[in-house]
Amino acid sequence: MSTTTAPVSRNGVDTATLFATRDAVKGQPELAGFQFRARNRWISGTHSRSRIGGFYGAGAEQQHVRGEMVLDADHPLVLVGADEAPTPVEYLLHALAACLTAGLVNVAAARGITLHEVESSVEGDIDVLGLLGLDPSVRNGFQQVRVAFRIKGDAPEEELRALLDRSRSRSAVYDVLTNGVPVTITAEVG
Amino acid sequence: MSTTTAPVSRNGVDTATLFATRDAVKGQPELAGFQFRARNRWISGTHSRSRIGGFYGAGAEQQHVRGEMVLDADHPLVLVGADEAPTPVEYLLHALAACLTAGLVNVAAARGITLHEVESSVEGDIDVLGLLGLDPSVRNGFQQVRVAFRIKGDAPEEELRALLDRSRSRSAVYDVLTNGVPVTITAEVG
């Protein structure tokens, strides 16, 4: 699926497998259906813990290589939490930076561009008058999110900028955060 | 700000401080402006690491009690990652469950309801034909997210369900995921 003259790995991306995977899914689109999952349990106050293990994809149930991974979340002291872990909204910022970066690196590998450094800073502004129920005209979530990248690689400036543009245009997290997604919530109580 | 007959803590929530904080912000709305942040650095392939430390809120720069916290992300093997950490989209599911749970517990405490157990399972469906660039009619992100709660507490079923309704109506992450948020991306390259 790749020529033998192509490098096996660039930027830590196995480009031959990347192209092969894309070709495999193209020929068998049912492999493209994925389902990701998290199971969360309340600990105390605003502190809870999620466990992330299995997911469905590539036509089968999958397990993460590292087994079940644990993520905690809490509110900070100034919002009456115990600050045991990052806040839920900080996890959104991390997810956005990580998704854009992974995509950028994949695109660079596919285009034969070697990267030296990719860093990003993400900021999200939130006015807690909304979530505290003090002003119904203020939204609960972020009002604005800003991502500032610093990218170093062996390509002209415009080619490096194009990597980021392509990554944004294919990013799952950017899509969800900017366009929203239908969320249904059910409960078994008692 | 609270009566001496009110319990100091319920569900691990310091309700007196919760009400006092709400009153303080009500009287001084400029305290409500928060900014959360993450700094991400690419490691190799689709693996990157975010550091979460300071944030702005309650009128001052704040530091998380545990200092700088580190979150990794990666793609799974079947998407040509090294599977060193949860995927970016799994972080979104964790954030949603954690935010709804923290809000639910706070609302329960404010209403004098003692909870015994709060668990949730979150699933997000994604068709990777979109993010692989194989079908422009398929979105990159989740097509649907489902959250299933199990709540046990000392209140009638309808009151426990009402806690979840109120939490959803005040949740920062639910708002961002369902309504979207403006995201601006800039880059310094070279």
Side-chain angles (χ1 to χ4, degrees):
Chain A
M1 300 236 187
S2 63
T3 67
T4 52
T5 55
V8 170
S9 174
R10 188 185 299 269
N11 304 325
V13 176
D14 180 343
T15 48
T17 303
L18 184 66
F19 289 126
T21 299
R22 201 167 174 277
D23 286 345
V25 174
K26 196 172 186 175
Q28 214 176 331
E30 63 273 22
L31 296 178
F34 277 66
Q35 182 185 86
F36 290 100
R37 306 170 191 138
R39 284 168 42 240
N40 184 276
R41 177 187 275 269
W42 171 51
I43 296 175
S44 179
T46 52
H47 183 200
S48 72
R49 179 168 294 159
S50 292
R51 293 177 187 279
I52 291 171
F55 62 97
Y56 182 87
E61 280 294 315
Q62 308 283 346
Q63 290 294 322
H64 281 295
V65 171
R66 290 177 164 247
E68 200 169 61
M69 295 175 286
V70 173
L71 300 174
D72 282 27
D74 200 354
H75 285 187
L77 298 183
V78 291
L79 292 172
V80 202
D83 204 8
E84 293 283 350
T87 66
V89 294
E90 286 167 325
Y91 279 102
L92 299 183
L93 304 181
H94 161 60
L96 179 60
C99 192
L100 290 168
T101 298
L104 189 154
V105 172
N106 272 342
V107 174
R111 294 183 181 179
I113 296 174
T114 298
L115 296 170
H116 301 305
E117 193 178 300
V118 183
E119 289 185 337
S120 56
S121 293
V122 197
E123 299 173 345
D125 303 328
I126 192 163
D127 182 339
V128 300
L129 287 178
L131 60 88
L132 289 175
L134 294 171
D135 186 343
S137 74
V138 174
R139 72 177 297 178
N140 301 319
F142 289 129
Q143 298 177 305
Q144 174 75 42
V145 171
R146 291 173 297 280
V147 192
F149 270 91
R150 194 168 69 143
I151 304 163
K152 293 188 182 182
D154 288 339
E157 178 176 338
E158 61 269 31
E159 287 186 33
L160 294 175
R161 288 191 184 280
L163 298 177
L164 183 55
D165 288 345
R166 171 55 65 96
S167 174
R168 185 188 56 214
S169 74
R170 295 274 173 79
S171 165
V173 173
Y174 180 83
D175 175 19
V176 168
L177 293 195
T178 56
N179 297 315
V181 61
V183 176
T184 59
I185 303 176
T186 56
E188 183 189 316
V189 301
Chain B
M1 302 234 187
S2 63
T3 67
T4 52
T5 55
V8 170
S9 175
R10 188 184 298 270
N11 305 325
V13 176
D14 180 343
T15 49
T17 303
L18 184 65
F19 289 127
T21 299
R22 202 167 174 277
D23 286 345
V25 175
K26 195 173 186 176
Q28 214 175 331
E30 64 272 21
L31 296 178
F34 276 66
Q35 182 185 86
F36 290 100
R37 305 170 191 139
R39 284 167 42 240
N40 183 276
R41 178 188 274 269
W42 171 50
I43 296 175
S44 179
T46 52
H47 182 200
S48 72
R49 178 168 296 158
S50 291
R51 293 178 187 278
I52 291 171
F55 62 96
Y56 183 87
E61 280 294 315
Q62 308 283 346
Q63 290 295 322
H64 280 295
V65 170
R66 290 178 164 247
E68 200 170 61
M69 294 176 285
V70 173
L71 301 173
D72 282 26
D74 200 354
H75 285 187
L77 298 183
V78 291
L79 291 173
V80 203
D83 204 8
E84 293 282 350
T87 66
V89 295
E90 285 167 325
Y91 280 102
L92 299 183
L93 304 180
H94 161 60
L96 179 60
C99 191
L100 290 168
T101 298
L104 189 154
V105 172
N106 272 342
V107 174
R111 294 182 181 180
I113 296 173
T114 298
L115 296 170
H116 301 304
E117 194 177 301
V118 183
E119 289 184 337
S120 56
S121 293
V122 197
E123 299 174 345
D125 302 328
I126 191 163
D127 182 339
V128 301
L129 286 179
L131 60 87
L132 289 175
L134 293 171
D135 186 344
S137 74
V138 174
R139 73 176 296 177
N140 301 318
F142 288 128
Q143 298 177 305
Q144 174 75 43
V145 171
R146 292 172 298 280
V147 192
F149 271 90
R150 194 168 68 141
I151 304 163
K152 293 189 181 182
D154 287 340
E157 178 176 337
E158 61 269 30
E159 287 186 33
L160 295 175
R161 288 191 184 279
L163 299 177
L164 184 55
D165 288 345
R166 171 54 65 96
S167 174
R168 184 188 56 215
S169 74
R170 294 276 173 78
S171 165
V173 173
Y174 179 83
D175 174 18
V176 167
L177 292 195
T178 56
N179 297 315
V181 61
V183 176
T184 58
I185 303 176
T186 56
E188 184 189 314
V189 301

